Structures are given as C-alpha cells and as structure tokens.
C-alpha cells in the first residue's frame, strides 16, 4: 500500500524524544547504532571546559598578536561599550554631526576607534589583512557587506514607487545586479582563505516591500492551515519546559481549501490538488506554496479592495495584490542564483542571514529554493570531489523566536523528504528583539519572541543537539553562531560524545569580529573550525549598521567585560 504524503512527512520528521542533555550524559540520549563510538569528553560539565588549560584565555592569549597601540585602542573601545547611554545617544550625535557639517570629523574619530575594532575595512580589498591575521590563528572569515533594509524603507517604497510594472522590475533588477557584482568580489576575496564564508542579506537584493507582501501572503496561508481542525497530530520531539513543542498537524484538504478561499478568492481545488490523500500536512504545504510555483501565482494575487476583509488597509499587513511582485522576485532571484553558482565554483559557502519576522517567511522561501538547487545530495549531481553531498547555501534560524525551533525542524524534514536537499543551517539567538516587540505591540499581534532569555537559551541548545544528532550519521552542516560560552561548551562536549571531531567538516562556530575573541581562538587552538563575522563597507554605512546591532542586541555588548579583562591581562604583560 502506497504511503500518503502526510505519512511520508511524519516518517521523515519522526525522531526519538531528545531533550538538551546535561553534557556528560548526552551519549545516553542518542542511538548508538546511528553514531560513531563516543570519545571521552575533555570535561564533564560545560562550565568546566573553560578551566581546562588549553581552553583558558591565559593559555590562548587572544590578543598576543596586537601591538600595544592596538591593545590600548581596543581597551578604550570596550570600556566605552560598557556605557549604555553612549549607545542610545549615538544616533542623535551622528544626526547632529551631519546637520552641523562636522560629520567628517566624527567619521574620522569613529574610523580609528570603533570601526577599527569591529570592522574589516571600507572595501573588500581592505579586508585581506584582517583575513590574514585570522588565518594565522586558524580562524576563518565570514565576509559581511554591511547593507540591509528595514520595514520603514519598505512602506515608504510601497507608497512612493512608480506604478509602471516594467519600471519597477527594471529598478529592482538594477539594484540586485549591482549588489551581485559587489558580492562576487566578496566571494573572490573569501576564496583566498579556504573555509571562509560570505553573509548574504536578502533585503539587499529584493525590494523590502516585495518581501513584506510575500511574507504576508505566506502568513495568510499559515492562518488558513491553523484555522482547520487537525485530523490528527504527531509530536515530533520533546523540548524543555517553556519552549514550543514541534508538532506535525494533518488537516482535511477540503477544509484547508475552504479556509484558503476566504483569504484568496481566486483559489480553486485545482490549486491544492497535489498528492493523492484527503489530508495535507504543513511540510507539503510549504513545498507547494512557494514563489517558485508559477502555476499557483495568479490565484495568490489578492484584489486590493479585499486584501484586508473590510479592515482599513495597512501597508505593513498587505499581501501580494499585483503580479508585479512575482515578476520582481523572478528578476532578482536570477541574481541570487548567480551568486550561489559563483560561490559553488569558487568553493565559498553562502550564509543567508535571518532578518525581521515580517520579511522572514519570504526569505526562508528564497533561501530554501537556493538550498534545493545547490545543496545536492550524494545520490544526485553536483557532489564534491569525495562524492559526498554538497553544501553551498546555509539558511539561518533565530532561536529567540517562538517558532524558531519548529521552523528548523520542519525545514530539516523537508530537506530529508522527496526532492529535498542536504540540510545546512546557521543557528543564532537573534538581533531584532526591540523592534520585533515594538511592532507586534503597535500592530496588535502576538509577540514573536520568547518571553524569557532562559527559553531562548533552551531552544538554542536543543536546536544544536537536534542538528548534531543527525549530522553524526548524515551529510550536512551546522554553524553554531553564538557568544554564549555555555552553548559553545555544550556543543563541543556533545560533539565529543557523538564521536565528531572538531575538523569533521560538518560543524563550525562563529562570533563577531572584536567580540569573544578568547572563545574563538580557544576553539581554533583546540582543533575546532571557527570563523569571525567581518563586516565591511564605508564608515557612513557600517556605523549605523553597528549601532543597530548594538541597540537591538544589548546582550552582545554586555559580554565585553571578559574581553576587556583579557585585554588588561595582555597589556599588563607588555608593561612588566
């Protein structure tokens, strides 16, 4: 008897019940038949790892290669970072400087202090010395061109752009082609240091208003699915208390169509006719409702008058109302596809950055389309020289979001299903906490962020263990991007218990340039792959970019105390 799509989805999602294990007991939580022979861990508890001599900052000496002048500059910068009012006042000071004509003076001061510590340079060629220094410490680089856009830009564009479809598409294509040229230069530079990556922000390519509307359309699809009464539900895995459990719901195809038609009047039964079951599951819905499904597009264009079912139209919540949005996506996707193709040719990997939730569904759709094209399985074409599955594109998952863990597990299931891909992920906590909560309150929807930091930490650590468990027996890649030393230690010890060496080629760690250098260099010194996120671009572009990161993610700057102490220790050595 043939399995239904829903049954197939349940099989590929099913996994033993796993909680983020207390490290030292993790091996008992994994199937011995599916993993290599465990190795003795270097420590039994995550907090003990940093007391092991080879992992301590006193032995690693993260700043031993800096000159005394560089040490003093970095120390002054980090001291200032511990003064919160400076971060909150900085945008106002920058605005005053531009209005009074003193911006060049301020830019000069910033360039030789904060910018020098946290950024790699103004052009991609300027980054080479930074990459060389990192390479000398066995660290890779993640080159990050500091260009992004936000929802304010999106709304302004949606209200001000030309109404001529050809002109809109041409304008978007011109911008994305320009970004593609810059990013190809970044890839060429990254290839100078094998094992390096580039970071790609989809908002730099796709007009933010298009991402916003396509995300809203996908949100309506999710609302239609959730409005249906589940025929049955399967719990994928247990998670710690307070963290969202991930379930696979199956709903009646007829009920789903009825709910969809309330939101997309043009939809008919032909548009939801995939498979041969009376029920549908969320995995198959995600695979079907994608911008790449051109046959579905006409039915997803909602007449503007009915877009909000009688409510006052709000640009922030409006779905796709014109086929021009799909034409823009097609034109710009060509450049994103070309970017990934060039990266594959040069041996560089592309990390698609996560951004705000009001763009994220569209970004995931684009990123997973790239993964499907370039992250080929061993049985298919395009494998690497060793005949293994190939990874070119990594999607990013934000674990401070309530649905972050569920999205990761769903995408993992889709990747392991029919017509899937080699799963590759970067996990982060998240960098838009303030704006996410402010927007949710202003527009009256549920806060998408976990209520407590403890819930975020639990989700992050569980996500790492979830992916590691599968990588122990399959191809793929995980980038553990975090400044949290406990999460780093848990991952290191779990890898050991799973028999995964630091240079297994499946796991990397990442931190920002100028932050948690002792953690990065301890990882590299002990044989683990680690890379530093290296933002670059003109000072006037990078400074606002860095300020947004600082304002949105104050916990990052809250960790400079340890870096400052390591700097003090190195300065003391020089002055003895």
């Amino acid at each position: 008897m043939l399995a239904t799509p829903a049954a197939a989805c349940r099989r590929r999602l099913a996994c033993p019940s796993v909680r983020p294990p207390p490290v030292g007991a993790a091996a008992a939580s994994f199937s011995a038949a599916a993993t290599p022979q465990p190795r003795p861990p270097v420590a039994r508890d995550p907090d003990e790892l940093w007391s092991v001599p080879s992992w301590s900052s006193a032995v690693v000496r993260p700043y031993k290669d800096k000159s005394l002048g560089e040490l003093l500059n970095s120390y002054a910068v980090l001291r200032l970072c511990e003064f919160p009012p400076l971060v909150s006042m900085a945008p106002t000071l920058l605005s005053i400087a531009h209005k009074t004509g003193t911006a060049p003076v301020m830019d000069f001061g910033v360039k030789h202090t904060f910018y020098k510590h946290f950024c790699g340079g103004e052009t991609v060629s300027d980054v080479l010395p930074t990459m060389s220094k990192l390479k000398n410490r066995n660290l890779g680089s993640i080159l990050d061109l500091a260009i992004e856009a936000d929802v304010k830009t999106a709304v302004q564009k949606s209200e001000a752009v030309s109404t001529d479809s050809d002109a809109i598409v041409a304008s978007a294509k011109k911008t994305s082609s320009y970004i593609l040229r810059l990013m190809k230069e970044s890839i060429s530079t990254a290839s100078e240091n094998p094992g390096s990556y580039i970071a790609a922000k989809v908002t730099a390519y796709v007009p933010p208003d298009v991402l916003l509307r396509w995300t809203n359309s996908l949100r309506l699809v999710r609302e239609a699915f959730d409005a249906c009464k589940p025929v049955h539900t399967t719990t994928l895995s247990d998670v710690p208390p307070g963290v969202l459990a991930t379930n696979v719901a199956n709903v009646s195809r007829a009920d789903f169509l009825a709910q969809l038609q309330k939101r997309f009047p043009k939809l008919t039964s032909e548009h939801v006719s995939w498979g041969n079951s009376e029920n549908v599951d969320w995995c198959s819905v995600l695979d079907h409702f994608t911008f790449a499904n051109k046959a579905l597009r006409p039915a997803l264009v909602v007449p503007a008058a009915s877009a909000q079912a009688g409510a006052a139209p709000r640009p922030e919540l409006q779905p796709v109302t014109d086929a021009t949005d799909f034409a823009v996506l097609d034109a710009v996707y060509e450049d994103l596809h070309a970017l990934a193709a060039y990266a594959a040719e040069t041996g560089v990997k592309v990390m698609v950055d996560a951004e705000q939730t009001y763009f994220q569904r569209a970004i995931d759709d684009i990123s997973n389309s790239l993964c499907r094209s370039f992250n080929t399985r061993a049985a298919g074409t395009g494998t690497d020289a060793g005949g293994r599955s190939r990874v070119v594109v990594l999607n990013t998952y934000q674990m401070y979001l309530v649905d972050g863990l569920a999205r990761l597990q769903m995408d993992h299931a889709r990747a392991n299903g029919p017509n899937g891909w080699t799963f590759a992920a970067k996990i982060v906590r998240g960098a838009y906490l303030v704006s996410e909560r402010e927007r949710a309150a202003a527009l009256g929807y549920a806060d998408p962020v976990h209520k407590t930091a403890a819930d975020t930490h639990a989700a992050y650590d569980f996500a790492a263990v979830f992916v590691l468990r599968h990588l122990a027996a399959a191809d793929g890649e995980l980038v553990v991007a975090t400044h949290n030393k406990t999460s780093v230690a848990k991952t290191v010890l779990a890898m050991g218990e799973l028999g995964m060496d630091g240079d297994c080629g499946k796991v990397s760690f990442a931190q920002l340039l100028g932050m948690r250098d002792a953690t990065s260099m301890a990882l590299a010194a002990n044989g683990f792959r680690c890379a530093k996120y290296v933002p670059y671009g003109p000072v006037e572009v990078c400074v606002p970019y860095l300020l947004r990161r600082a304002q949105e993610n104050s916990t990052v700057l809250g960790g400079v105390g340890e870096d400052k102490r390591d700097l003090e220790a190195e300065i003391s050595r020089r002055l003895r």
Side-chain angles (χ1 to χ4, degrees), residues 73 77 94 97-98 101-117 122 538-540 543:
N73 177 76
V77 167
L94 287 173
H98 283 283
T102 58
V105 177
M106 177 169 282
D107 286 346
F108 179 85
V110 169
K111 181 177 181 178
H112 294 280
T113 52
F114 290 89
Y115 183 90
K116 183 178 180 180
H117 182 79
E122 294 199 63
V539 176
E540 63 271 16
V543 170

Side-chain angles (χ1 to χ4, degrees), residues 292-360:
N293 187 349
K294 296 184 179 181
L296 187 62
R297 290 176 178 180
L300 295 180
V301 176
V302 179
S306 62
Q308 308 240 342
R314 296 196 65 157
E316 301 95 331
L317 300 175
Q318 186 145 306
V320 172
T321 60
D322 192 297
T324 302
D325 283 354
F326 291 121
V328 168
L329 284 169
D330 285 340
V332 174
Y333 185 76
E334 288 178 356
D335 289 331
L336 285 162
H337 192 277
L339 179 78
Y342 187 65
E345 291 173 12
T346 55
V348 174
K349 296 176 183 178
V350 179
M351 293 181 181
V352 179
D353 278 344
E355 303 189 52
Q356 295 92 335
T357 53
Y358 33 91
F359 298 143
Q360 195 58 48

